[in-house]
Amino acid sequence: MKKLTLSFILLIHSLFAADSLIDALLDGNLTHKINANYNEGNEDETAAYTSTKTQKILFHYQTAPIGGLKLEVATQSFATETHQSSMDNTIYYTEALYRGNADDLSYKLSANYYADTYRQNISQNGLSTTNAVGLKAQVNYENFGSYIAYSKVGEGSHSVSGNLEGKDHLLPTSSVISSNNYTPNTAAYAIDLNYSPRQDITLGSRYVIANEMQTNLSYTGVYSNFQLNEIAKGLNLGLTFDKTGIAKQNDQFGINIKSKF
């Protein structure tokens, strides 16, 4: 009787879990965009040799949160065709994000997978594919925040790029300015500390180290963000500085102004 009762409880729990999962999938958000254009070139007999066709297709889907867990899937393809050559490139991105709270402490755990396929000519049978994975653990306590992250780019012929619409950084180990992508066979680690004295102000510092084949790179950066709704709604001012070291020296300074309409 005890075994039967336990089995019944497990069955009910599984049914409720399945219902919650179905609800989260059905309540998700799907974005679909298609952009295409055709350039005929000069209006003369050489137009056939200068004309180009380009197309971009985006699918982006996010589930509704289920017990603090949210899944995100996106794919975006680019295609360019001319009289003499053609190129197509497709990005696949998947991320799982879990949010939790414990008293004044909140945390986020995320894992993502990235794949980028590239083909220079449609007539070619082989595709060049680059894969990458990323892991990130973030903790926030009152006005303080911190995260650690890891990423690994597998073998391939081109770097992990940031061309996915709506995603500034496809890897969680991006530095403040200098690097938001890495070449194949690169492992990277990042640690970030930040402080928000007010809801509309963030001050932070980030350190990244990347093992790129036979080269080691480090990125030490500081950043700040100021939400200036008093001037214009959605206006954001960001000041950033990034120092690249170990194998090369290159300092960068940037000012970013963003506005949402």
Side-chain angles (χ1 to χ4, degrees):
M1 184 64 179
K2 290 184 178 180
K3 291 184 178 180
L4 181 61
T5 302
L6 179 60
S7 299
F8 179 75
I9 293 175
L10 292 175
L11 176 62
I12 295 298
H13 182 271
S14 299
L15 290 176
F16 275 105
D19 288 342
S20 300
L21 177 59
I22 292 174
D23 290 340
L25 294 175
L26 295 178
D27 292 338
N29 188 335
L30 174 64
T31 302
H32 176 212
K33 295 182 180 180
I34 299 178
N35 296 323
N37 62 76
Y38 178 71
N39 179 19
E40 295 184 353
N42 299 322
E43 296 181 357
D44 54 30
E45 60 183 7
T46 63
Y49 298 93
T50 60
S51 61
T52 60
K53 297 178 181 179
T54 61
Q55 179 174 269
K56 181 173 71 173
I57 303 175
L58 168 70
F59 288 94
H60 185 198
Y61 175 74
Q62 298 183 76
T63 68
I66 172 174
L69 178 65
K70 184 175 73 172
L71 302 178
E72 179 178 1
V73 178
T75 178
Q76 184 162 299
S77 63
F78 308 85
T80 301
E81 182 179 352
T82 65
H83 176 73
Q84 295 179 328
S85 65
S86 61
M87 182 276 292
D88 60 272
N89 169 239
T90 303
I91 292 174
Y92 303 93
Y93 182 84
T94 303
E95 181 178 31
L97 173 64
Y98 180 79
R99 299 173 182 266
N101 294 279
D103 296 328
D104 295 331
L105 185 72
S106 63
Y107 58 91
K108 299 178 185 178
L109 304 174
S110 64
N112 69 280
Y113 171 76
Y114 166 97
D116 189 345
T117 63
Y118 177 84
R119 180 167 52 186
Q120 182 63 37
N121 290 301
I122 295 178
S123 59
Q124 293 179 348
N125 295 324
L127 287 174
S128 173
T129 303
T130 303
N131 300 286
V133 294
L135 301 172
K136 182 178 179 180
Q138 180 175 342
V139 176
N140 292 88
Y141 178 75
E142 294 183 347
N143 297 333
F144 295 91
S146 178
Y147 72 77
I148 56 174
Y150 166 79
S151 69
K152 172 65 176 179
V153 182
E155 296 182 355
S157 60
H158 57 284
S159 300
V160 174
S161 63
N163 291 327
L164 184 61
E165 186 173 333
K167 286 288 183 181
D168 294 333
H169 302 118
L170 295 178
L171 296 178
T173 52
S174 298
S175 66
V176 173
I177 302 177
S178 304
S179 180
N180 65 352
N181 60 73
Y182 296 108
T183 59
N185 300 303
T186 297
Y189 307 83
I191 182 169
D192 185 285
L193 300 172
N194 57 79
Y195 172 66
S196 298
R198 290 174 23 182
Q199 187 175 3
D200 53 357
I201 298 177
T202 302
L203 307 174
S205 179
R206 187 178 309 158
Y207 178 74
V208 178
I209 185 168
N211 301 315
E212 185 178 312
M213 298 295 288
Q214 302 298 321
T215 304
N216 291 328
L217 301 175
S218 70
Y219 305 93
T220 305
V222 293
Y223 61 90
S224 61
N225 288 291
F226 303 89
Q227 194 73 29
L228 305 177
N229 289 321
E230 296 83 357
I231 300 176
K233 186 176 181 180
L235 181 63
N236 182 278
L237 173 64
L239 304 177
T240 55
F241 175 81
D242 216 8
K243 180 178 180 62
T244 305
I246 298 184
K248 63 178 181 179
Q249 298 292 331
N250 182 26
D251 298 343
Q252 297 190 50
F253 178 79
I255 297 178
N256 303 313
I257 300 178
K258 298 181 180 180
S259 180
K260 295 182 180 179
F261 298 94

